[in-house]
Structure formats: C-alpha cells, structure tokens
Amino acid sequence: MKTWGISILLVGLVVAGASPLAWRAPDAASAVQFVEATSTAGLKFVHNSGRAGKKFLPETMGSGGAFVDLNGDGWLDVVLVNGKDWTPKGKRSFSAVYRNNGNGTFTDVTTASGFDVEMYGMGVAAGDYDNDGRDDLYVTTLEGDRLFHNEGNFRFRDVTKASGIVNAHFGTSAAWLDYDRDGKLDVFVANYVQWTAKTEPAYFIIDIGGCSGLRRHVCCCASRCAGQPGIICAFYTRVDGGPVNGSCLQARNAHGSGTAFAN
C-alpha cells in the first residue's frame, strides 16, 4: 500500500567532524544540476485558470499534480489537475494523466481514461484506499471534490457519490492517512473559504492619499461580504497600466487597516 501527498522536505547536511549546522559548497563534479526537459519528455499540458479579465480569487490558486505509479510497473506516472472556463466557450479543459514510458518520456493517456472530465480542480492526492494494489485519486475542486477509483490499465471510475464523499467547500489540498489504524486509508481535506463568482465584487476606482487613478480589486469570502468576520484582501493596479507608487498603498476599512506592497 502506497500513499502520496504534498509535503515539505527539509534536508540537513551533516559534515563529519563538524557542527550539524555547518555547510560547505559541493564539489563541482558532484553538484546537482537540472535540465529543462518538459518538451522532450512529451509533457504538453496547459493549465486553464478560466481567466477572462475579472481576476477571480480561484484564478490565483493554480492547480496541483502528483507523481504516482498508476499501473505498478515501477515507473512514476504524472497526474496534472486543470481548471476550466467560467463560461463555456466550446473548448473543454481536462486534467491529464501521462504514462511513464520508462525512457525519460511520457505518453498522454487521458482520453477515454475516465479522468477526462471537466472540473475546476485545485489539488490531487493519490492513495490505495481499498487495498487492491492500485493507487486511486482524490481531486479537490472548487465545486465539489471527486474520488476516482483506479480500475487498472489507466482507466478510472468516478465513485464520489458511492463512496459518501460530499465536500463542496472549495477544497484545496488533501492527504491520505490511516487515521484510526484499521489498515484502510482515510482522507483529510483542507478547505479554503466560502466563495462564488456572484459574491466576489468587481474592482472599483479609488483615490488613496492623493494617488488618483488606482483600480482596487477586492477579494472577500461570503461571510465578510455579509458583514461577518472572514478573509478580505485587496490588490491594486493603475487604470493607465503604469507602475503603482508603493507610498500610495495604504488601505483602510471599517474593520481596521491593512498594508499592501508594490511589486
């Protein structure tokens, strides 16, 4: 049974006879180097945030991915999560599954895999929840999480409803773990905020400290919009497209003050 999730790895280098905090530059011959190999590897995935000029909050989140051996051949395959257009435009956007060919290249096997469905995805966690030897996929999405059972040979079946998974709360990340130690993987899901396109206000033009021509983009969760404690943020651009003076960026509201930083 294998579990995969998102983690942060902290690696400490301990040099013999030195303090654990000591560090020295690696020898030139042993230095790790990276080569951009996306194109030659056959990975042609393009993420669609749905952006259409309104700068909705979910567009800033991006999407997740996973390295996981989906067919048990000892080679890690790639799963990439996609978003979609806010308003259908004729061309659909799908998440992707790439089979590892074992020679440094990958083949897109998404079509007819059962994973070729449109969803505004956020993250993915792989784990063998039914102990059949194949890792399954839990996908967090904006409109409701999905659980895909690995049927083998890169075929997946949406078992969300049958499994009892009901989470339509802007899921962001997830992790499989055996919480109660019964030998079966449980799933932990992190949700973000209450959000809909209808409750996110559009930008409006403001004058801050004599700095005219600033466009303030406000993002807030539904609870804040209703006057309750919640999350609120704002960022600024100029109407004429020019740079924003950092001294102008002091935002205030009825609940206190906030500071914005110019990029």
Side-chain angles (χ1 to χ4, degrees):
M1 177 179 69
K2 303 185 291 293
T3 62
W4 297 81
I6 300 173
S7 62
I8 298 176
L9 180 63
L10 301 179
V11 180
L13 297 178
V14 179
V15 180
S19 165
L21 297 180
W23 178 88
R24 64 181 177 84
D27 297 333
S30 63
V32 176
Q33 298 185 15
F34 295 89
V35 176
E36 171 61 59
T38 309
S39 179
T40 57
L43 299 173
K44 301 178 181 180
F45 178 80
V46 177
H47 177 257
N48 177 20
S49 68
R51 61 182 182 180
K54 296 185 178 180
K55 295 189 167 94
F56 286 144
L57 176 61
E59 296 174 12
T60 69
M61 305 293 288
S63 290
F67 283 101
V68 51
D69 185 359
L70 292 171
N71 61 342
D73 64 355
W75 295 95
L76 292 178
D77 308 297
V78 175
V79 177
L80 297 171
V81 178
N82 210 345
K84 65 178 183 179
D85 293 327
W86 298 111
T87 301
K89 299 178 180 178
K91 184 177 181 180
R92 306 175 69 191
S93 299
F94 299 130
S95 297
V97 177
Y98 285 88
R99 182 186 67 219
N100 191 327
N101 298 323
N103 60 1
T105 66
F106 294 82
T107 299
D108 189 339
V109 293
T110 309
T111 302
S113 67
F115 198 65
D116 50 344
V117 295
E118 262 201 321
M119 50 189 170
Y120 202 106
M122 288 289 160
V124 59
D128 183 9
Y129 75 87
D130 59 351
N131 293 335
D132 65 355
R134 297 186 294 266
D135 284 324
D136 311 294
L137 302 175
Y138 187 101
V139 182
T140 55
T141 79
L142 182 63
E143 63 273 84
D145 296 349
R146 302 281 193 92
L147 177 60
F148 293 89
H149 182 264
N150 188 341
E151 304 282 292
N153 196 30
F154 295 99
R155 294 293 184 270
F156 299 88
R157 179 166 53 93
D158 190 334
V159 294
T160 309
K161 185 176 181 180
S163 68
I165 298 293
V166 180
N167 184 53
H169 301 291
F170 200 157
T172 51
S173 61
W176 293 99
L177 73 161
D178 187 357
Y179 178 79
D180 53 2
R181 298 187 178 183
D182 63 353
K184 299 177 181 179
L185 289 180
D186 310 296
V187 62
F188 176 86
V189 182
N191 292 323
Y192 194 34
V193 296
Q194 298 178 22
W195 181 91
T196 66
K198 294 181 179 179
T199 58
E200 178 166 319
Y203 66 78
F204 49 94
I205 308 301
I206 59 174
D207 180 19
I208 305 177
C211 303
S212 60
L214 286 183
R215 180 187 286 122
R216 184 182 185 187
H217 307 262
V218 179
C219 333
C220 63
C221 67
S223 58
R224 168 65 75 173
C225 294
Q228 302 298 322
I231 294 177
I232 185 168
C233 64
F235 62 93
Y236 301 83
T237 59
R238 285 187 60 85
V239 175
D240 60 9
V244 177
N245 187 338
S247 64
C248 297
L249 300 183
Q250 179 65 33
R252 298 186 180 276
N253 56 62
H255 296 277
S257 64
T259 301
F261 298 90
N263 186 335

